[in-house]
């Protein structure tokens, strides 16, 4: 029961995060600085919570620090590439690319985390995702207009997410930290790499970007980011890397609904059909994985 509760809370936060971030980027087109604000907000929230006795953050060992540093670099890159992908392509493309991550993660789970080899049924369902993603690409209007360059940031986002999901489970197993500790250190360690990305890419925040609407969306995105960090680590503790990623894919159904209602989807009808087919093709297998991990 605890596993299902954590998965539901993580899914709610994750479903809203992309939509809120895209709205935030429309007011403040500076991905690295938005991410820095969100990470700093999360760190400060945990410090306040620890002072009040709500959280416990243990000191990080030297061995754990090396794993956390590697994780944090990947984490910072994945957040940055997510925000840049939201700026340069439609949300449906980002979701489709992420849906293909389990195809590689099952191999990472098997070879690096010593988990069982997926069943034939599980592999078949993953192939359905891959096939649906291929059909989405065939009908993608943006690919026809801009070429493969439109897929640069979504591809980089997928690669960094695969790294983060794989090493994240190792960090969880070896650092012996509470969930609050994992969230605190992963965000604290990621601020500097994110600032470096902003400096390298020459991003700037102009005074005209700072107004009531932009600050409201920035605050909402920061609260959502802190929540997804907490429940994301908790979900990672209770599930395998593949299951964690598949859960993330499934909750994108709500993300797409919110996107269509509030931000007006730019994907073709055929593309949206294959997007939902790609996501719904995993329903039976995900339900089975939840039962096995409870």
């Amino acid at each position: 029961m605890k596993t299902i509760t954590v998965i539901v809370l993580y899914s709610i936060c994750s479903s809203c995060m992309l939509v809120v971030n895209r709205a935030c980027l429309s007011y403040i087109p500076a991905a690295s600085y938005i991410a820095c604000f969100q990470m700093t907000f999360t760190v400060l929230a945990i410090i306040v919570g620890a002072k009040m006795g709500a959280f416990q953050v243990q000191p990080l060992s030297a061995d754990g620090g090396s794993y956390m540093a590697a994780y944090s670099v990947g984490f910072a890159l994945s957040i940055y590439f997510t925000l840049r992908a939201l700026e340069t392509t439609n949300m449906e493309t980002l979701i489709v690319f992420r849906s293909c991550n389990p195809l590689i993660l099952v191999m990472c789970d098997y070879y690096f985390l010593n988990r069982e080899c997926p069943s034939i049924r599980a592999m078949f369902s993953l192939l359905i995702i891959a096939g649906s993603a291929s059909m989405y690409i065939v009908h993608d209007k943006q690919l026809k207009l801009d070429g493969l360059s439109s897929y640069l940031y979504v591809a980089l986002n997928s690669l960094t997410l695969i790294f983060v999901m794989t090493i994240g489970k190792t960090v969880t197993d070896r650092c012996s930290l509470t969930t609050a500790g994992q969230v605190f250190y992963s965000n604290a360690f990621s601020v500097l790499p994110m600032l470096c990305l902003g400096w390298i890419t020459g991003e700037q925040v102009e005074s005209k970007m700072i107004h009531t609407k932009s600050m409201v969306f920035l605050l909402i995105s920061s609260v959502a980011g802190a929540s997804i960090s907490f429940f994301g680590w908790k979900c990672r503790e209770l599930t395998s890397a593949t299951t964690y990623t598949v859960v993330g894919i499934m909750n994108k159904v709500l993300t797409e609904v919110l996107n269509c209602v509030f931000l007006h989807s730019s994907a073709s009808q055929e593309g949206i059909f294959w997007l939902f087919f790609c996501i719904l093709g995993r329903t039976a297998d995900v339900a089975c994985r939840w039962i096995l991990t409870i």
Side-chain angles (χ1 to χ4, degrees):
M1 196 66 184
K2 180 181 179 181
T3 303
I4 293 179
T5 301
V6 170
I7 287 174
V8 169
L9 291 173
Y10 166 66
S11 296
I12 292 172
C13 297
S14 179
S15 298
C16 298
M17 192 65 186
L18 286 179
V19 177
V20 173
N21 272 338
R22 187 158 197 173
C24 193
L25 283 165
S26 67
Y27 293 106
I28 309 174
S32 59
Y33 295 111
I34 289 176
C36 280
F37 187 93
Q38 294 170 347
M39 292 170 181
T40 303
F41 179 90
T42 300
V43 170
L44 292 176
I46 293 175
I47 291 174
V48 172
K51 292 291 185 182
M52 297 174 62
F55 302 125
Q56 183 181 5
V57 179
Q58 314 99 308
L60 193 62
S61 65
D63 183 54
S66 61
Y67 282 103
M68 185 61 75
Y71 171 86
S72 297
V73 172
F75 176 69
L77 287 171
S78 69
I79 296 298
Y80 178 77
F81 289 139
T82 296
L83 293 172
R84 290 306 307 271
L86 289 173
E87 285 185 297
T88 58
T89 189
N90 58 57
M91 197 176 298
E92 291 81 6
T93 301
L94 180 61
I95 294 172
V96 167
F97 266 75
R98 286 186 174 187
S99 72
C100 294
N101 289 358
L103 291 168
I104 300 176
L105 274 169
V106 290
M107 293 184 286
C108 294
D109 269 357
Y110 179 71
Y111 287 108
F112 300 116
L113 300 181
N114 298 318
R115 297 191 180 276
E116 294 182 3
C117 184
S119 64
I120 295 177
R121 181 178 60 83
M123 289 302 298
F124 179 72
S125 62
L126 290 172
L127 289 174
I128 291 177
I129 289 180
S132 302
S134 300
M135 292 303 297
Y136 172 87
I137 292 172
V138 169
H139 293 92
D140 185 18
K141 295 185 293 185
Q142 189 169 13
L143 176 64
K144 296 175 182 177
L145 292 173
D146 302 330
L148 290 175
S149 61
S150 62
Y151 286 172
L152 174 62
Y153 286 113
V154 288
L156 290 173
N157 176 246
S158 290
L159 291 175
T160 51
L161 277 177
I162 289 168
F163 172 78
V164 166
M165 297 305 151
T166 303
I167 196 173
K169 194 67 180 178
T170 303
V171 171
T172 300
D173 295 338
R174 299 199 180 189
C175 288
S176 300
L177 295 170
T178 62
T179 301
Q182 292 166 341
V183 174
F184 176 80
Y185 288 115
S186 62
N187 280 273
F189 279 38
S190 298
V191 171
L192 182 58
M194 190 63 74
L195 285 173
C196 291
L197 282 171
W199 178 73
I200 292 170
T201 57
E203 289 184 341
Q204 294 181 346
V205 177
E206 300 176 4
S207 58
K208 64 181 181 180
M209 301 177 188
I210 309 302
H211 48 79
T212 304
K213 283 187 177 181
S214 65
M215 291 298 99
V216 168
F217 276 107
L218 186 59
L219 182 59
I220 293 173
S221 71
S222 298
V223 173
S227 301
I228 198 174
S229 292
F230 182 83
F231 292 118
W233 273 106
K234 200 66 179 177
C235 186
R236 187 182 285 114
E237 288 178 12
L238 299 173
T239 63
S240 71
T242 303
T243 303
Y244 176 79
T245 304
V246 170
V247 169
I249 294 167
M250 293 302 299
N251 64 47
K252 294 304 181 288
V253 173
L254 179 56
T255 298
E256 178 57 20
V257 172
L258 294 172
N259 182 47
C260 291
V261 172
F262 295 106
L263 299 180
H264 307 294
S265 171
S266 60
S268 65
Q269 292 183 350
E270 294 86 354
I272 293 176
F273 169 79
W274 286 111
L275 166 66
F276 278 103
F277 193 84
C278 177
I279 296 171
L280 294 176
R282 284 298 287 151
T283 302
D285 189 61
V286 171
C288 179
R289 289 177 184 273
W290 283 353
I291 293 171
L292 292 175
T293 54
I294 295 173

